[in-house]
Amino acid sequence: MKRKIAPTLFELGLGIILYGIIFEIVLLFFSREPSYSLGLWVGVVLAVAGSVHMWWSLDRGLDMAEKDAVKTMGINNIIRYLVLVVVMAALIYTEFANPIFAFCGYMGMKLSAYFNPLIHRLCTRKASKQPEDAV
């Protein structure tokens, strides 16, 4: 079964990726250290995955009774934060990528949420300018 992605989730993901691209351009202007860029994109991927998981758990939780929804949402929040802590710990111990820039990439989810009204306006303007399919 093919499901259509929620427009808000799409806009949030688009904002996170745009944030990552802009941050990467600024980062490359100041430093060519590969671990910084790698850390940034690990954080961006975590942010996109976290927002998809958040959308999925909210979608599921809204169909439940209040008591069950509170319990399920709490468990899903803990899972999201545990994944973040485990990935950050792995980055710290393996020195694969810079964990500070991974955190900066993860914060793209917050910034994207703040700029969501702007991104929504841009996406809806673009969609309204497209011609209708001829019948």
Side-chain angles (χ1 to χ4, degrees):
M1 170 165 48
K2 201 174 192 182
R3 291 186 67 177
K4 187 177 178 185
I5 188 168
T8 306
L9 179 62
F10 172 75
E11 293 163 0
L12 185 66
L14 181 65
I16 293 168
I17 292 171
L18 288 174
Y19 166 82
I21 292 169
I22 292 168
F23 199 111
E24 180 70 27
I25 291 168
V26 172
L27 185 62
L28 288 175
F29 184 71
F30 290 106
S31 175
R32 301 281 181 184
E33 179 67 33
S35 69
Y36 294 172
S37 293
L38 199 53
L40 173 68
W41 289 104
V42 166
V44 167
V45 168
L46 276 174
V48 170
S51 60
V52 169
H53 182 263
M54 191 181 308
W55 168 80
W56 174 80
S57 61
L58 280 169
D59 190 47
R60 228 177 94 193
L62 290 173
D63 292 335
M64 297 179 174
E66 183 180 355
K67 189 175 181 180
D68 295 332
V70 169
K71 182 179 176 184
T72 302
M73 292 305 298
I75 290 170
N76 284 322
N77 287 339
I78 291 170
I79 290 170
R80 242 186 335 275
Y81 286 117
L82 276 176
V83 167
L84 179 63
V85 168
V86 167
V87 169
M88 289 298 190
L91 291 178
I92 290 169
Y93 289 117
T94 62
E95 297 179 7
F96 172 70
N98 190 307
I100 294 174
F101 283 100
F103 182 75
C104 289
Y106 190 76
M107 287 296 104
M109 186 187 330
K110 296 270 189 213
L111 200 64
S112 178
Y114 293 138
F115 281 108
N116 190 267
L118 174 67
I119 295 169
H120 176 72
R121 242 182 281 130
L122 293 173
C123 286
T124 54
R125 184 182 308 155
K126 197 175 206 179
S128 66
K129 286 185 179 180
Q130 293 179 354
E132 294 291 325
D133 292 334
V135 177

